[in-house]
């Protein structure tokens, strides 16, 4: 009998469902354990940080942070690979995954906690997970506490009245781009999921389950909704495509979103942290963005720059990134 990993996670965590989707795709034996008071002691035994997902290996190693988790298991389990042989495409996949993890999270968190119906619906789901065994009163009290705590954290991802139009426009534009792109292929890079799919999908999976963004997705993006459903248990349906056939669909995403919003924001955030500033401001698409710095994201920017430094010699990559106005942000 093959020993399995344990994934401590939550249906409400984009990073947890991202890792679960990856394990399903790779056919890796695993047990899904929704984090709750019942398994908190076991969770704390292996977790260095109080965050899901946590993967506990059969050898007793605790691994956290969704991207390093996937990279660790991908290195040990080659097929079906989520990394294209084309080095340029492999880097673009990693860049889009980072965009999903770090910028797409702003859409998810904003809609979930800034809109009252979404806030109460999600707080109810969290309260049931935490306190369901203790009865209705405990759930109701927990729901109110969760709603208050999480709305107070909107600023952590940069969601405020000034940035609201930028976040919502970004979500709707990305939805439009991907709906067109996914009209003729099952996954972002062709016939099988890539790292990019898992990162972007985790956010869209959560958005699809919440009232306000879910309604927008169902009414405006049927191809994205079909992809969201497909990625719950993804399968290889064909090979990766080449950039030649992917360019028309992904160039707008790279240019408008990754190069136009995500990377400039990343740089401004990193600069503010380096200077010890309590807030920062920049123009994105002619609109003003302002927020407190996100300290974790400075490490994220350093990591994607490290990956670019390793991939920069890949044929065609420089031209693609220059055209999308991404290159200048990736050169340290």
């Amino acid at each position: 009998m093959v020993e399995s990993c344990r994934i401590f996670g939550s249906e409400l965590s984009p990073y947890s469902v991202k890792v679960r989707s990856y394990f399903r795709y790779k056919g890796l034996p695993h047990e899904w354990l929704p984090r709750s008071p019942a398994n908190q002691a076991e969770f704390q035994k292996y977790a260095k940080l109080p965050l899901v997902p946590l993967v506990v290996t059969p050898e007793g190693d605790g691994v956290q942070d969704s991207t390093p988790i996937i990279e660790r298991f991908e290195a040990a389990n080659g097929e079906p690979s989520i990394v294209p042989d084309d080095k340029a495409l492999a880097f673009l996949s990693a860049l889009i995954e980072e965009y999903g993890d770090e910028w797409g999270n702003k859409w998810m968190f904003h809609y979930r906690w800034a809109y009252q119906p979404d806030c109460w619906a999600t707080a109810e789901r969290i309260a049931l997970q935490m306190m369901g065994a203790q009865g209705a009163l405990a759930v109701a009290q927990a729901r109110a506490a969760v709603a208050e705590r999480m709305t107070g954290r909107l600023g952590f991802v940069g969601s405020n009245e000034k940035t609201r139009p930028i976040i919502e426009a970004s979500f709707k534009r990305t939805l439009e781009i991907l709906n067109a792109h996914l009209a003729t292929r099952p996954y972002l890079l062709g016939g099988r999921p890539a790292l990019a799919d898992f990162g972007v999908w985790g956010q869209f999976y959560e958005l699809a389950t919440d009232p306000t963004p879910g309604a927008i997705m169902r009414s405006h993006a049927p191809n994205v909704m079909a992809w969201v459903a497909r990625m719950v248990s993804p399968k290889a349906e064909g090979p990766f495509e080449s950039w030649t056939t992917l360019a028309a669909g992904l160039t707008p995403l790279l240019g408008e979103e990754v190069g136009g919003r995500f990377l400039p924001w990343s740089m401004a955030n990193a600069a503010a942290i380096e200077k010890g500033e309590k807030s920062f401001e920049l123009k994105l698409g002619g609109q003003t963005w302002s927020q407190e710095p996100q300290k974790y994201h400075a490490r994220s920017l350093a990591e994607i720059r490290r990956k670019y430094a390793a991939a920069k010699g890949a044929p065609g990559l420089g031209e693609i990134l220059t055209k999308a106005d991404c290159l200048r942000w990736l050169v340290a």
Side-chain angles (χ1 to χ4, degrees):
M1 180 178 174
V2 179
E3 290 188 273
S4 65
C5 292
R6 289 179 289 164
I7 305 174
F8 290 82
S10 169
E11 282 288 339
L12 293 155
S13 157
Y15 308 107
S16 295
V17 297
K18 168 188 172 184
V19 167
R20 183 180 64 186
S21 173
Y22 172 78
F23 269 64
R24 287 174 175 174
Y25 177 60
K26 300 293 281 194
L28 298 173
H30 64 280
E31 181 184 6
W32 172 255
L33 298 168
R35 186 183 172 190
S36 71
N39 57 33
Q40 181 63 11
E42 188 71 1
F43 175 86
Q44 288 179 322
K45 180 179 174 182
Y46 297 99
K48 293 182 177 67
L49 298 168
L51 302 171
V52 290
L54 164 71
V55 173
V56 179
T57 70
E59 297 75 33
D61 292 336
V63 193
Q64 289 179 283
D65 197 337
S66 64
T67 303
I69 289 170
I70 289 175
E71 289 175 343
R72 171 174 170 158
F73 283 91
E74 186 68 11
N77 300 275
E79 290 299 325
S81 177
I82 65 166
V83 182
D85 291 334
D86 181 326
K87 301 299 184 188
L89 207 53
F91 173 75
L92 295 174
S93 178
L95 178 60
I96 293 169
E97 187 248 7
E98 198 71 18
Y99 162 77
D101 275 357
E102 301 294 328
W103 183 265
N105 184 251
K106 297 182 187 304
W107 316 322
M108 189 281 293
F109 205 92
H110 167 76
Y111 277 106
R112 178 165 280 179
W113 300 112
Y115 281 80
Q116 192 171 44
D118 303 73
C119 174
W120 283 108
T122 308
E124 175 86 11
R125 293 165 70 189
I126 294 172
L128 282 167
Q129 185 174 311
M130 291 168 46
M131 309 298 290
Q134 297 185 34
L137 179 59
V139 169
Q141 290 172 328
R143 179 182 63 182
V146 168
E148 182 177 2
R149 182 173 74 249
M150 298 307 291
T151 53
R153 292 181 176 179
L154 279 163
F156 291 175
V157 300
S159 171
N160 54 57
E161 282 307 307
K162 188 173 281 189
T163 62
R164 180 188 195 114
I166 302 174
I167 293 171
E168 295 189 4
S170 171
F171 166 65
K172 290 170 184 174
R173 179 59 181 140
T174 302
L175 201 58
E176 180 182 31
I177 292 168
L178 293 186
N179 195 60
H181 182 66
L182 291 164
T184 54
R185 54 184 58 83
Y187 301 103
L188 297 184
L189 300 189
R192 58 182 58 202
L195 185 60
D197 288 271
F198 293 99
V200 178
W201 171 80
Q203 309 299 337
F204 275 113
Y205 175 85
E206 299 299 334
L207 287 152
T209 69
D210 290 346
T212 302
I216 294 169
M217 291 171 69
R218 286 188 293 275
S219 62
H220 291 88
N223 299 325
V224 173
M225 286 300 293
W227 168 72
V228 167
R230 195 177 300 123
M231 280 292 298
V232 171
S233 294
K235 295 176 177 59
E237 300 178 28
F240 291 118
E241 295 177 35
S242 68
W243 179 250
T244 305
T245 58
L246 294 169
L250 291 183
T251 296
L253 182 70
L254 290 170
E256 296 176 38
E257 286 292 317
V258 180
R261 301 188 204 266
F262 171 56
L263 291 175
W265 170 82
S266 297
M267 278 293 297
N269 181 74
I273 292 169
E274 190 176 338
K275 294 173 187 173
E277 295 174 346
K278 289 189 166 52
S279 66
F280 68 94
E281 190 170 289
L282 74 154
K283 290 285 187 182
L284 293 176
Q287 295 178 288
T288 301
W289 178 284
S290 61
Q291 72 165 107
E292 296 177 14
Q294 287 177 233
K295 290 185 179 177
Y296 171 80
H297 184 70
R299 295 196 295 275
S300 166
L301 176 61
E303 181 63 9
I304 201 65
R305 282 178 155 182
R306 182 192 67 77
K307 290 178 179 177
Y308 170 69
K312 63 183 180 182
L317 180 59
E319 183 182 349
I320 295 166
L321 293 173
T322 300
K323 184 176 181 181
D325 197 23
C326 291
L327 188 61
R328 61 185 172 128
W329 310 109
L330 295 169
V331 180

